[in-house]
Amino acid sequence: MSEYKYTFKTHHKFDEEFDDLTDKCPSLKEDLKKFKKAILINLQTNNHRLTHRRYIQLQHFNGKNTYPVFKVKEFRCHAQRNGRNSPFRIIFILNRKKKIIFFTEFYYKKNKKTDFNPKRVWEIFNHLEEYF
């Protein structure tokens, strides 16, 4: 069981975005705790892999780095009661070797034009020693 212990880390901008969005969803802090537990269970039951149904691996970064980057579209905000249709999105990097889940971005999907910031992920990849 100990082999499935991962450490969660966050980019400082993730923390700022998360705090700003707690006004839209007061249950976010508790929701994030539940989400972290769910990731760990998913990694354990799938041999350190994440299912494509819930975690979308972003193809922008394949072949250019050693760590997969995922987007979560089904982050549930229980205070808003919109279930899988939640407008909240999480971007994270999975480092299986060091067992780190690094949250890079948390944003509110207002419309189809709203998307994550790939520059932030590239900045992290360019300075891995600082983040991992």
Side-chain angles (χ1 to χ4, degrees):
M1 191 73 143
S2 63
E3 67 180 275
Y4 292 100
K5 290 189 178 183
Y6 280 76
T7 302
F8 291 97
K9 294 186 176 184
T10 59
H11 191 276
H12 66 92
K13 288 186 180 177
F14 176 94
D15 296 331
E16 292 168 13
E17 294 158 351
F18 186 82
D19 289 342
D20 289 345
L21 289 170
T22 54
D23 292 339
K24 289 188 185 291
C25 179
S27 66
L28 275 182
K29 289 182 183 180
E30 191 60 35
D31 296 335
L32 185 61
K33 286 180 189 177
K34 291 176 184 177
F35 177 73
K36 287 177 178 180
K37 287 180 185 177
I39 289 177
L40 295 177
I41 290 169
N42 292 153
L43 286 166
Q44 181 178 358
T45 57
N46 295 308
N47 194 25
H48 296 281
R49 301 275 176 226
L50 295 172
T51 60
H52 296 292
R53 195 178 120 236
R54 185 163 192 189
Y55 308 95
I56 301 164
Q57 187 169 351
L58 299 175
Q59 303 303 315
H60 304 61
F61 307 102
N62 282 355
K64 297 176 182 152
N65 64 71
T66 55
Y67 308 114
V69 180
F70 294 92
K71 178 191 277 190
V72 177
K73 290 184 174 183
E74 296 179 4
F75 179 82
R76 297 180 82 122
C77 171
H78 287 84
Q80 286 194 341
R81 303 200 190 290
N82 39 356
R84 288 185 170 184
N85 296 323
S86 170
F88 296 99
R89 303 291 188 263
I90 295 178
I91 307 297
F92 68 92
I93 300 169
L94 179 62
N95 182 332
R96 290 183 182 96
K97 193 173 197 176
K98 292 186 178 182
K99 300 208 179 353
I100 295 172
I101 298 169
F102 190 80
F103 292 118
T104 63
E105 191 169 354
F106 190 87
Y107 66 98
Y108 187 83
K109 179 91 172 168
K110 297 175 192 163
N111 55 46
K112 291 185 182 215
K113 292 181 181 179
T114 308
D115 207 359
F116 78 104
N117 180 1
K119 289 179 184 177
R120 186 178 305 170
V121 176
W122 286 121
E123 184 247 321
I124 292 166
F125 284 139
N126 289 332
H127 300 94
L128 281 176
E129 63 282 349
E130 291 177 38
Y131 298 104
F132 290 99

